Amino acid sequence: SDFDPKGKSDMEIMRFCQSFMSELYRHIGDDVDVPAGDLGVGGREIGFLFGQYKKLTGKYTGTITGKPIVSGGLLGRAEATGYGVVTFLTEVLKHENDTIKDKVCVVSGYGNVTWGTVKKLDMLGAKVITISGKDGYILDEEGITGDKIDYLLEMRDKKTGAKGYVEKYPNAKYFPGEKPWGVKADIYIPCATQNEINLEDAKLIVSSGSKYLIEGANMPTLNEAIAYLQENGVIVAPAKAANAGGVACSCIEMNQNASHDFFNEKDVLDKLDEIMINIHKQSMEAAEKYGLGYDLVKGANIAGFEKVAEAMMCQGIV
């Protein structure tokens, strides 16, 4: 679509969502294809889309995920991607006989994935010192913690850009038009958008002495940057594995809807941890199986490919 939601009222956005679903509903279903939110599409928009789907089909199913709780949404779904990123990170650190406590983290973005990531990092004793937007990045050397984490949600909803943070917390520093990858840290976690780390950014990360880059956004690192990082001893946790928590919880939400049940948050987050730990294990073991050492990028690709290929062969699709 060519609809730009910026500056539009709630009613205009609702009417667009309803019009969009008036055609989309023919092509989706709980056993066909299940869409969810992403950049610019949160609980409000999913709620509008789901309401129109239900009106057109008369079905109350798990066809759309990321729904508001009152519409059958899942407790913990909002935090899921970011929480999953951090769970994957902790497994990487365990492999390296390292711990997350007191680690200094550079994180990009300020949306939903960033919020969940920062929240979980803070809970585990790490210190997050950056967030970013299209307009630039924020350096908060005191650490993004407490009510500062909650304020990220307000920034997201109001679409303030990174500058909105320093207006609220003037002790932080604002760097307009820049990215945070030159800030020295122990761990780098891109959570904003694709292609945000290029070769020059990768060189800055390597020069910091960091060992870890964990992808929270979808494909945030260019291939040449990934190669440079790995050649220089940085462990790269690829998005297809590290940020799978959101999709994993979409599956749990579908399960909740299919059973007409309501899962509590602890059970959801425990299941999320179990899934992320298993994804790390599968990626690691696939790399080891083919003599690739601890290469999680290749391991995740191989593990994913083998699963699809085996399913195709079992079904006679060759």
Side-chain angles (χ1 to χ4, degrees):
S1 75
D2 60 358
F3 177 78
D4 185 351
K6 292 179 182 175
K8 302 295 196 301
S9 69
D10 285 353
M11 288 298 292
E12 287 172 313
I13 290 172
M14 181 180 73
R15 287 195 294 270
F16 168 76
C17 289
Q18 291 170 340
S19 296
F20 188 71
M21 183 53 72
S22 293
E23 176 58 32
L24 183 66
Y25 87 96
R26 308 171 198 275
H27 311 284
I28 62 176
D30 52 337
D31 291 319
V32 182
D33 199 0
V34 179
D38 207 307
L39 290 173
V41 182
R44 175 185 61 169
E45 293 77 24
I46 291 294
F48 294 154
L49 290 163
F50 180 66
Q52 185 71 355
Y53 177 82
K54 189 160 65 74
K55 178 180 178 181
L56 291 167
T57 65
K59 297 178 180 178
Y60 192 98
T61 67
T63 298
I64 303 172
T65 62
K67 299 184 291 296
I69 300 301
V70 293
S71 294
L74 187 75
L75 288 170
R77 176 65 180 85
E79 299 94 331
T81 304
Y83 275 31
V85 167
V86 179
T87 299
F88 197 95
L89 165 61
T90 58
E91 291 303 296
V92 172
L93 292 169
K94 285 178 188 176
H95 181 271
E96 298 300 301
N97 296 313
D98 205 347
T99 61
I100 200 166
K101 188 169 174 56
D102 298 324
K103 287 289 190 294
V104 175
C105 303
V106 161
V107 180
S108 67
Y110 66 90
N112 208 54
V113 179
T114 301
W115 167 70
T117 300
V118 174
K119 186 177 177 183
K120 186 72 171 182
L121 287 169
D122 184 61
M123 287 167 57
L124 296 178
K127 183 180 182 182
V128 178
I129 58 172
T130 70
I131 56 167
S132 70
K134 292 180 180 179
D135 58 320
Y137 80 88
I138 294 294
L139 174 62
D140 188 340
E141 293 174 322
E142 297 175 356
I144 300 172
T145 186
D147 62 348
K148 294 176 181 178
I149 299 173
D150 297 333
Y151 186 64
L152 296 180
L153 294 177
E154 189 173 333
M155 289 173 60
R156 179 198 66 189
D157 293 341
K158 292 182 177 178
K159 297 179 173 58
T160 66
K163 189 177 181 181
Y165 184 94
V166 80
E167 290 171 354
K168 176 77 170 179
Y169 302 104
N171 287 340
K173 298 174 184 176
Y174 173 53
F175 296 85
E178 296 186 34
K179 296 185 284 186
W181 312 121
V183 177
K184 185 174 176 59
D186 301 307
I187 301 167
Y188 293 83
I189 311 177
C191 292
T193 188
Q194 68 185 55
N195 301 334
E196 58 174 310
I197 297 179
N198 59 31
L199 181 57
E200 294 307 310
D201 299 321
K203 290 178 179 178
L204 293 173
I205 291 170
V206 168
S207 68
S208 76
S210 171
K211 283 181 60 179
Y212 310 106
L213 184 134
I214 313 296
E215 292 188 326
N218 288 320
M219 299 185 297
T221 314
L222 295 175
N223 286 338
E224 60 181 6
I226 291 175
Y228 183 85
L229 290 165
Q230 291 183 309
E231 287 164 6
N232 286 275
V234 177
I235 295 169
V236 178
K240 64 167 57 70
N243 84 352
V247 173
C249 280
S250 282
C251 293
I252 298 172
E253 184 175 330
M254 292 171 66
N255 187 0
Q256 173 180 269
N257 296 154
S259 64
H260 299 286
D261 201 349
F262 191 75
F263 300 163
N264 68 62
E265 188 170 8
K266 182 182 182 304
D267 288 345
V268 170
L269 296 179
D270 285 347
K271 182 64 175 175
L272 171 62
D273 280 345
E274 179 186 327
I275 291 168
M276 297 309 301
I277 290 167
N278 190 48
I279 290 172
H280 172 267
K281 182 173 182 287
Q282 289 181 34
S283 301
M284 177 180 67
E285 289 179 348
E288 290 174 350
K289 176 182 175 181
Y290 291 93
L292 299 169
Y294 191 58
D295 187 332
L296 295 172
V297 176
K298 291 178 180 176
N301 283 336
I302 291 168
F305 173 82
E306 286 189 333
K307 184 176 289 188
V308 173
E310 183 179 352
M312 290 174 66
M313 288 187 289
C314 287
Q315 296 171 32
I317 304 170
V318 293

